[in-house]
Amino acid sequence: MKPEKNNQLCFSKTNFDSVYQFILIKTQHNKTKEYIHGDWEIVVSDSSELLFKKKGYSLSKVNREWGIFSLQKLGPDNERITLKTNLLFCELVLLAKN
């Protein structure tokens, strides 16, 4: 899997680490398995991956090494979900740094 380069605007390993720690702290503090951001659920999959879910379905992921990916197979949905995940990730970067 290769990330779509134009959808990697906020992604970096450093930003991933910041967002990962932010989500981990929030979920531990709230004693939940996911962090809710708007109508999206963000789940720590492992130390190198975050899953982005909506209504319980995993739609995309952010991997520390490879970046942002949609899990959808249909082209239009893939692009839309990847772009939305990038926007959400950018918002989370800002929250993590504040």
Side-chain angles (χ1 to χ4, degrees):
M1 250 191 242
K2 291 186 179 179
E4 297 177 34
K5 292 186 187 227
N6 61 340
N7 288 322
Q8 301 292 320
L9 301 174
C10 295
F11 180 78
S12 70
K13 288 180 181 180
T14 301
N15 283 346
F16 177 88
D17 292 342
S18 295
V19 170
Y20 174 85
Q21 286 300 320
F22 174 77
I23 300 296
L24 196 60
I25 289 166
K26 291 292 186 181
T27 55
Q28 288 173 346
H29 177 73
N30 295 332
K31 297 180 182 169
T32 60
K33 291 183 180 182
E34 70 275 330
Y35 173 74
I36 305 298
H37 186 74
D39 58 349
W40 287 78
E41 307 146 30
I42 297 98
V43 178
V44 172
S45 174
D46 60 38
S47 64
S48 66
E49 198 165 83
L50 298 170
L51 293 175
F52 285 69
K53 302 171 107 180
K54 200 166 189 180
K55 297 181 182 176
Y57 294 98
S58 296
L59 298 179
S60 57
K61 66 181 177 178
V62 179
N63 182 285
R64 187 177 191 279
E65 297 298 319
W66 302 309
I68 298 170
F69 301 93
S70 168
L71 299 175
Q72 302 305 303
K73 295 184 185 221
L74 300 176
D77 285 343
N78 186 326
E79 284 182 36
R80 181 180 54 79
I81 290 169
T82 303
L83 181 59
K84 180 62 178 177
T85 303
N86 188 69
L87 294 173
L88 290 168
F89 188 79
C90 290
E91 291 172 11
L92 291 168
V93 168
L94 292 175
L95 288 172
K97 291 187 176 186
N98 286 329

